[in-house]
């Protein structure tokens, strides 16, 4: 209708290229009214569109399939396949569409003699003068079959010559009718013509919210979607029978490019070749019949021309470090990449936003620790020179007695992380996590509503190619035994894979444990060796050196194992042959999560809960391999060491893994691909000039799913919540990382990756459950960290149960037990007992044990049990109170935001109203009709045909009035 | 189409009535092909149908509204209203439908002069010669307006004379077209003509499942739905545009009576009178314009005629104690009462079924306790006569020292409930609860699928009448101040109600606490008084008497307060003026649950966790009111007392409240209503003979929601899970109760209540969350019961930490501390210190305290702290392990049963196939059409009209082929 109405030519002025290689391509975007003159010569046409449209300049390329062409060189290929391919290509490029379709339909009705063709292909195996093998030929035949099927489904295909050697492109276009049909099948919700006003909250609230939004104005990206809108289009599931509801005035933009490509992808998924087993597009890709399948990006990003496209807008307003302080244009991200990726970035954005208060409070808690370090009575007591407490030696033989006051620095430092504010902070963070989950649920609901996903149910998952292949294999094996058709893999088929899975998972976790144990041994042995050194400076820095090197070793091991485990998890999942992509993803995520989690947190958990607890006591220490004493914590408790380990692991992981790897590796891969394609002895410069959109996109990295992105963030979430009691600065570091991470990911999606097929999703799926699990575990771990790793409980117990004056004075003395040096085992006593300058009879050590002079010397004392009971009670109280508070938060904050639920309600009423008006219109027309003629037929009996009749003219009258 | 085709008369032979009054009505059910001859005289007509159809014997009564008629006596009423009413009634009863509708439509087009009529009503306020007041007149006018609106919506109404004085009936019928329209609006899923075969699992599994189903055959009710079916109709959302999909061959049964009534109810809800504020049916019912609104039951239950109806079938196969061992015919229940009630009974059925294994294991645990009572070393030690342990007196002054061996019986009895099997049982029950929740989720999914509820979203809730009234009030108040229209109640409007709520809730909980405290005082004082009695028999039975009477008092108080709290919760919720029915229900449930839960469990929690813990020690007992010593538990621990209290409360509640109240009260109410209606000096016998269906139903109790039913079960679920560690027989008692309860509820729904409007529901809503909460709390409470109330932990600690030979020998001695009798406070020592026949120097008491000869006499000992630490550790381990196991169960059992998810998948594919076939049919027709004529119009450009054209003839060809 509109196609012939407005015809304009828009050629951008040739601008001198100042940018890098692929950027001086000229791109003419056909947006809205700009239509290309049909009379243009094919060359001009091609040049102007740069591959976004078919040769005729009319039909958009919605999807591209690529395949391997054996013989390199532009357009030259084996005669046999060229024969088949070019016939179609020529037909399509010369003739107008309807004719082509007519021909197809005619072909359809007369079934093609498939068998004879395939037999012929076998006969014509080698083309004379060409090195052609049967395998390639077979693939070409598969392609031909598949493309025929696609044409049967109503898609339009085009192939043309490409300048890239060895790659053939099939461009796919979905015509309007097919789009409508599929949109109806997919139950897409589309905006109708009916608009309504969104009520703003009234009175004072309105003023406040408008003030707030004005204040936040500079934080919003310059994207039209973010302008406040009071008018919303009513959405309704697309249906061709209700098409009078929709605004078809601009058919080219009614379905945007994301929707078009996902519709084509839906058809591709459904279309199957009838080979030995039915092959869908995943199998075809897997077996190399096609090499890639992707939709096209919207256009160039670095073009200076005035033409704007969504990709360029995203590049400027989103994938840009300069706008790091702004909100993300989530609506636009969703419009370009689809709901699934939109949800990821919305989630990441919310997480980053939520980290702001958390890191603020974390910094305050840390500053509180700094400020109160001088008022801390235990560290004052330790540092006081008058406090002449003699401690038992830290190692056998070579170490001697030492004075507690030398641990002054450590004690003061540990107060920074071990003070009452930490308890508050871990409760705060547990609630924070609950709040985050709740806010995410709400945001998700809001996005679901704004993106018209309410009522959308999860899409059906097609079986994976590997699964179908396996079923086919099994079927073929069984065929000889029984005629029963095999339809699925049973538990027994998968048993070997499951067994491998369990064994490998246990093995990998064992490896993690072994490595942690190795690092412990490294620490113990190095410490012993350094203690023996005669250099006093070395001996002074023993603790720090050993701790830091061990942490760095841990970090390196974690980084290496992370990559290994990722690969192992993928391999194990492939072994399992899950049925659908969704199941594959979930199993992969589960395994990867377990392995990476163990990898990242095992050393930390060791330090938090086991280190310094299995030491024994002077006179009866515990030994590893009968010679190494188990390591103790410094006097201030293990909390500081936990903190060092945490900060090194977290920062190192973020800096090295996330940023270095994520920026570096894709660049490297791109380079490699460039170099490889250079082999064709083609002048790169020259080629790039003429590259089409689909060719440029071909050089981009394929989209590999969101799993790695989510996984990275979940592990970070673990660092932020799990041990937050010992490291209040974790949220701050996470925040800083994420501000970069968002833009980094955005850049990757906009510039480095092929455009992913837009996937619809209502939620972030399994990740939400994992997040919830981590938050739950965090509560328990924090409870244990506070009560067992920190000195909080012993201090409380001392203050309220044992302190003579209710103050902390004397606490240090109370925590130290007595040891009679004459009770040392032979050969374990210090070599230099007089190092301190005086003979030592009683030395002290940190534990709750009976003194040597009691009836049961060195037995565990009553204090120990009392402190233990209080510690355990604290865990119970903390865990249950925090979980209860989480539930209360969950219950208090409604899952659906108030305004959204009101709008949903309103929309439902409007919709019923709309239909009721339509009904009345219909009835009126029926009545008028029946009064003139068919009275008996229609109104008397409830006749099918009568109610079915479409009173279109009357309806449209009615509609024009009501809209 | 079919109406004139088959005409049959079916009059059941008049059988002599042997049953009670309302049962010898004769009912002719029009089922399937049975159609009534139109030529029958009106009297015969009426008689045959007994009010299930309109006077014409054609149109079914889908809904009934009743109103109050001032002047008793058949059909006579005020002339003013009679004028308006009878005109319509006569018109409708004389003319055929289409004419009446024509008239209505004509009326519609010429807007009625409403204002003048209402003014006229005000003028004609009093009819001469009649005692008529303006209020009644106003109501009649409202009714007239409302009924006019209903007719505008397309409903058909009929009023006729009734024999019940003072009650007028409006019968409503929804014609086919309206049903279709509303079914489309409500997005009802209906079965299509397309059937497919449901695959049974193949091979061995098939044989096993067929064997199992054969074995379970006698357990299935004799309802056709339960015959195994291999064929299922594909369902699709009803749409008039897709009506070729549906089987309309029998229009009368396409929408069943439940669906019809819910459609009418939907229209009723939507229709509003424009009074001062818009009044829907709830407001009209609330303000007495109508007195009741209900759909009709399907027919008589006690009829002996061959005609069967769903109600009769339900009565025979479901609401019958004789079939207590059978499964419920849930499909039929849903078909008759709708999904919401169907879900309740499905839930109740599953719960009862799940109770079977639980009670089996419970009985085994109990029997294990019985069997091992003689091998129990601690009780053997207590009972052994050689063990001459002298205990400290149980009360001041009047009691004397006593020998531990006298507590032999109690110790042996407490072993029944306090043995290692109990620990296993409470873990089992926690898992059982998790399994129950999982199974319910699965069953719910299965029912959702079978009942075609997949994809159904919660229905919109209309505002409640009270809410609208309140908003109107507020609006009127504000009108004088500002022109702003008030649309909702803000937090500030509700603040007083919220405050009242909080205060009242706290007050009620306070009352509960006070009563529990009162019972404690009763126990203490009575015990002291009885101890003083000189009668030795009285003194011997002191313990038992006091315990039992106290428990009975508690029970009575609980029963009374339960009723009070129910009323208070309702009153408080009304105060809050919640917006929608759903919100009202949720708030009411929340409050009722809290109050009833506290009421039922406070005394039990006191006994479990506080009793015997705040006793003090000999020489420094704790006193209430300075004279009463706090009560101790018997030597075997408090577990036995907990068990007694639990069993009395639970059994008493179930026997008295559930069964007595539930059977008795409705019978009483029915009787009262009969007696009241008798006042009209009407011969009951005679009246009943002629009573119409809608009149009979009017005498039934209105349906009051499922809240009380669920609440009863949830409290029971609490008894079964919360303290199961102390009362392993609870599941058995619950099972016995529920077997009766199901049939009792069924009887109530089938015979005692008016038919409820079928409500669609996907789940049991808030109840699921409450169940989950109870299950969670149960884990914690059981952990505490095992570790603190039972002697399990002290026994373990003794055995593994203190026992010299690793056995339990010496445990009793270990748990008893020593007291030097010379340390008694003055005036507290026993009056008769020589009662045992020898002077006592050291008496023993149950506690972990230092002996008098230690450095810190009577201080808490190290053992105490050790036991406490182990107890707390047990709680942590138990809670987290069980919660983890719950999560694992949750994760292992998929929420959607495998076969259902496969079938859903299959249905989706079938549906797409079906539509694709249709599409191809359409395309073929289009092609053939375009090749003959309109080629340029259709295939060239993507023309609207072309894709819209309905190629009906071609489609139908296609369909007949494919179905």
């Amino acid at each position: 209708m509109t196609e012939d109405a407005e015809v304009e030519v828009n050629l951008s002025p040739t601008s001198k290229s100042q940018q890098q290689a692929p950027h001086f391509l000229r791109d003419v975007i056909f947006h809205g009214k700009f239509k290309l003159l049909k009379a243009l010569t094919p060359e001009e046409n091609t040049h102007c569109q740069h591959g976004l449209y078919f040769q005729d300049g009319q039909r958009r390329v919605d999807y591209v399939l690529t395949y391997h062409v054996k013989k390199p060189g532009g357009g030259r290929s084996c005669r046999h396949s060229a024969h088949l391919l070019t016939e179609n290509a020529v037909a399509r490029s010369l003739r107008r569409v309807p004719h082509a379709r007519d021909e197809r339909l005619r072909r359809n009705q007369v079934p093609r003699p498939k068998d004879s063709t395939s037999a012929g292909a076998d006969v014509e195996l080698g083309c004379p003068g060409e090195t052609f093998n049967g395998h390639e030929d077979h693939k070409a035949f598969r392609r031909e079959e598949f493309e025929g099927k696609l044409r049967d489904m109503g898609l339009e295909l085009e192939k043309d010559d490409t300048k890239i050697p060895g790659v053939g492109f099939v461009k796919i276009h979905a015509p309007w009718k097919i789009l409508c049909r599929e949109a109806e099948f997919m139950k897409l919700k589309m905006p109708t013509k009916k608009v309504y006003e969104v009520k703003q909250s009234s009175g004072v609230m309105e003023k406040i919210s408008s003030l707030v939004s004005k204040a936040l104005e500079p934080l919003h990206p310059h994207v039209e979607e973010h302008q406040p809108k009071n008018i919303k289009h009513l959405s309704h599931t697309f249906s061709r029978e209700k098409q009078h509801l929709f605004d078809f005035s601009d058919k080219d933009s009614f379905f945007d490019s994301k929707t078009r490509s996902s519709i084509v992808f839906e058809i591709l998924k459904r279309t199957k070749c009838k080979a030995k087993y039915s092959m869908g597009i995943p199998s075809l890709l897997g077996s190399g019949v096609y090499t890639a399948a992707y939709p096209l990006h919207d256009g160039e990003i670095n073009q200076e021309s005035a033409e704007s496209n969504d990709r360029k807008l995203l590049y400027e307003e989103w994938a840009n470090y300069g706008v790091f302080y702004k909100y993300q244009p989530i609506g636009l991200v969703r419009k370009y990449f689809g709901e699934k990726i939109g949800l990821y970035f919305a989630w990441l954005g919310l997480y980053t936003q939520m980290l702001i208060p958390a890191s603020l409070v974390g910094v305050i808690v840390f500053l509180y620790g700094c400020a109160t370090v001088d008022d801390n009575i235990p560290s004052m007591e330790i540092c006081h020179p008058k406090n002449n407490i003699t401690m038992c030696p830290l190692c056998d033989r070579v170490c001697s007695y030492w004075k507690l006051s030398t641990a002054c620095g450590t004690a003061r430092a540990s107060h920074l992380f071990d003070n009452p504010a930490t308890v508050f902070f871990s409760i705060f963070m547990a609630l924070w996590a609950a709040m985050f989950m709740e806010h995410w649920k709400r945001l998700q609901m809001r996005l679901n509503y704004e993106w018209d996903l309410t009522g959308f149910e999860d899409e059906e998952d097609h079986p994976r190619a590997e699964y179908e292949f396996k079923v086919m294999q099994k079927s073929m094996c069984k065929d000889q035994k029984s005629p029963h058709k095999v339809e699925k893999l049973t538990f027994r088929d998968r048993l070997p894979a499951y067994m491998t899975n369990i064994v490998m998972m246990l093995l990998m976790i064992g490896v993690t444990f072994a490595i942690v144990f190795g690092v412990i041994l490294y620490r113990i042995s190095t410490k012993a060796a350094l203690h023996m050194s005669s250099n006093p400076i070395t001996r002074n820095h023993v603790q720090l050196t050993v701790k830091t090197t061990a942490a760095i070793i841990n970090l390196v091991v974690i980084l290496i194992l992370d990559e290994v485990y990722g690969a192992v998890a993928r391999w194990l999942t492939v072994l399992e042959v899950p049925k659908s992509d969704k199941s594959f993803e979930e199993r992969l995520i589960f395994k990867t999560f377990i392995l990476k989690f163990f990898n990242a947190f095992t050393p930390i958990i060791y330090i938090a809960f086991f280190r310094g607890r299995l030491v024994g006591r002077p006179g009866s220490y515990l030994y590893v391999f009968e010679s190494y004493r188990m390591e103790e914590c410094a006097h201030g408790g293990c909390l500081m060491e936990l903190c060092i380990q945490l900060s090194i692991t977290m920062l190192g992981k973020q800096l090295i893994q996330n940023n270095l790897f994520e920026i570096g590796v894709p660049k490297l891969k791109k380079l490699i691909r460039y170099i490889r394609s250079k082999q064709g002895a083609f002048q790169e410069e020259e080629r790039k000039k003429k590259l089409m959109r689909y060719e440029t996109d071909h050089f981009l990295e394929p989209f590999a799913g969101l799993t790695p992105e989510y996984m990275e963030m979940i592990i970070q979430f673990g660092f932020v919540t799990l041990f937050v009691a010992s490291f209040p600065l974790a949220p701050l570091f996470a925040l800083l990382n994420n501000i970069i991470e968002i833009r980094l990911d955005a850049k990757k999606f906009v510039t480095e990756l092929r455009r992913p097929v837009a996937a619809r999703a209502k939620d972030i799926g399994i990740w939400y459950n994992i997040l919830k699990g981590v938050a739950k575990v965090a509560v328990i771990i924090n409870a244990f960290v506070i009560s067992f790793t920190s000195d909080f409980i012993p201090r409380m117990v001392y203050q309220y149960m044992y302190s003579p004056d209710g103050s902390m004075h004397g606490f240090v003395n109370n925590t130290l037990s007595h040891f009679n040096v004459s009770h040392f085992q032979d050969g374990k006593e210090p070599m230099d007992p007089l190092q301190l300058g005086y003979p030592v009879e009683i030395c002290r050590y940190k534990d709750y044990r009976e003194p040597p002079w009691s009836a049961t010397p060195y037995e565990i004392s009553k204090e120990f049990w009392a402190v233990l009971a209080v510690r355990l009670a604290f865990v119970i109280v903390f865990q249950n109170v925090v979980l209860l508070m989480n539930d209360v938060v969950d219950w208090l904050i409604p899952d659906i935001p108030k305004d959204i639920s009101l709008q949903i309600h309103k929309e439902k009423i409007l919709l019923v109203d709309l239909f009721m008006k339509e009904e009345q219109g219909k009835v009126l027309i029926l009545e008028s009709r029946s009064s003139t003629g068919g009275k008996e037929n229609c109104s008397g009996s409830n006749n099918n045909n009568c109610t079915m009749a479409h009173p279109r003219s009357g309806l449209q009258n009615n509609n024009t009035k009501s809209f």
Side-chain angles (χ1 to χ4, degrees), chain A residues 736-957:
Chain A
L736 294 177
N737 177 70
N738 284 7
I739 287 172
I740 302 169
E741 178 77 19
I742 291 179
R743 306 301 157 175
L744 194 72
D745 279 355
K747 261 197 157 37
K748 196 168 86 183
F749 274 89
V750 174
T751 64
E752 308 276 348
L753 296 183
R754 282 181 199 153
R755 187 171 183 176
V757 177
R760 282 193 290 176
K762 274 191 104 161
D763 48 41
I764 55 173
I766 194 175
W767 296 111
Y768 185 79
N769 297 328
I770 291 182
L771 272 181
K772 256 197 146 159
V774 171
K776 243 189 205 171
V777 172
V779 173
I780 299 167
I781 287 192
N782 275 312
F784 275 99
V785 166
I786 293 172
S787 66
F788 283 92
T789 314
S790 90
D791 267 349
F792 176 71
I793 300 293
R795 281 200 300 262
M796 290 291 117
V797 170
Y798 176 76
Q799 193 164 2
Y800 296 108
M801 277 174 73
Y802 296 107
S803 173
D805 56 355
S807 77
M808 288 296 293
H809 289 288
F811 169 69
V812 174
N813 191 37
N814 179 263
T815 58
L816 297 175
S817 299
H818 301 261
F819 181 70
N820 189 332
V821 296
S822 62
H823 293 158
F824 265 125
Q825 284 168 286
D826 290 340
K828 304 287 184 187
E829 67 273 13
M831 289 190 301
D832 182 11
L834 293 171
Q835 203 183 30
L836 286 176
Y838 52 86
V840 176
E841 248 178 57
I842 298 284
C843 70
R844 311 289 294 272
Y845 60 101
K846 202 182 177 192
D847 209 339
Y848 291 102
R849 284 178 187 273
E850 302 277 347
W853 54 83
S854 81
T856 49
Y858 308 128
E859 279 283 284
I860 287 166
S861 69
K862 192 164 142 186
E863 274 88 5
F864 174 84
W865 288 111
V867 168
L868 183 63
V870 176
R871 281 181 157 158
L872 291 166
F874 178 83
V875 170
I876 295 176
V877 171
F878 186 89
Q879 184 187 352
N880 286 301
V881 165
V882 171
L883 287 184
L884 184 73
M885 271 156 65
N886 279 2
D887 283 347
V888 169
V889 165
D890 193 355
W891 177 72
L892 277 184
I893 302 179
D895 283 358
I896 304 177
K898 194 90 182 179
D899 56 331
I900 295 295
S901 73
L902 283 177
Q903 273 188 45
I904 291 176
H905 182 90
K906 195 173 175 181
E907 284 197 2
K908 275 196 183 159
I909 291 175
L910 279 173
L911 219 58
V912 168
D913 276 2
L914 186 64
F915 287 140
M916 278 309 289
K917 264 184 201 155
E918 248 179 56
E919 287 302 318
Q920 282 165 0
K922 272 186 204 171
V923 170
L924 279 177
I925 288 146
L926 267 178
E927 289 303 324
S928 65
R929 218 182 266 177
S930 63
S931 63
T932 54
K935 203 167 179 175
E936 271 69 31
N937 273 341
C938 293
S939 21
S941 64
N942 300 321
N943 194 300
N944 265 5
N945 294 330
C946 275
T947 46
M948 271 302 287
H950 275 263
R952 185 147 313 281
S953 56
L955 249 182
Q956 272 165 350
N957 285 344

Side-chain angles (χ1 to χ4, degrees), chain A residues 197-203 206 209-210 228-231 903:
Chain A
E197 209 183 326
V198 177
K199 275 264 174 49
Q200 298 295 320
S201 49
S202 57
E206 190 177 14
S209 74
S210 78
K229 272 191 291 187
N230 287 335
I231 279 174
Q903 273 188 45

Side-chain angles (χ1 to χ4, degrees), chain A residues 6 38 42 65 101 111 157 188 214 265 359 365 388 428 456 537 604 641 681 707 837 932:
Chain A
E6 293 178 289
K38 279 174 193 164
L65 299 175
R101 206 185 44 188
L157 274 60
L188 290 184
K214 204 157 259 171
F265 185 62
S359 45
V365 164
N388 249 338
F428 172 82
F456 157 74
I537 303 169
I604 293 167
E641 309 209 3
T707 308
T932 54

Side-chain angles (χ1 to χ4, degrees), chain A residues 299-369:
Chain A
E300 223 22 75
I301 33 174
N302 285 8
Q303 207 74 20
E304 283 193 348
S305 70
E307 289 297 347
S308 83
N309 61 60
D310 283 345
R311 193 186 181 198
K312 200 179 165 191
L313 203 58
L314 280 175
Y315 185 70
E316 284 162 0
E317 290 296 329
W318 182 52
N320 190 342
Y321 293 117
V323 292
F324 75 91
Y325 59 91
K326 287 187 182 178
Y327 288 106
Q328 300 177 80
I330 285 298
L332 193 64
V333 173
R334 173 252 176 177
K335 193 180 158 216
Y336 193 77
F337 290 112
E339 284 80 9
K340 204 169 178 184
I341 293 174
L343 274 178
Y344 166 68
F345 281 104
W347 177 82
L348 186 55
L350 181 73
Y351 175 47
T352 308
Q353 241 174 289
M354 289 290 291
L355 278 175
I356 296 174
S359 45
L360 259 178
V361 176
V363 169
I364 290 172
V365 164
F366 181 72
L367 291 179
Y368 170 83

Side-chain angles (χ1 to χ4, degrees), chain A residues 489-515:
Chain A
L489 295 184
T490 57
F491 182 77
R492 222 195 300 165
D493 296 322
R494 286 209 180 105
L495 197 60
Y498 285 147
M499 295 308 296
T500 321
N501 259 290
I502 292 169
V503 170
M504 280 301 290
M505 291 288 283
L506 290 178
L507 188 71
M508 290 291 114
I509 292 173
V511 167
T512 307
F513 284 152
I515 284 169

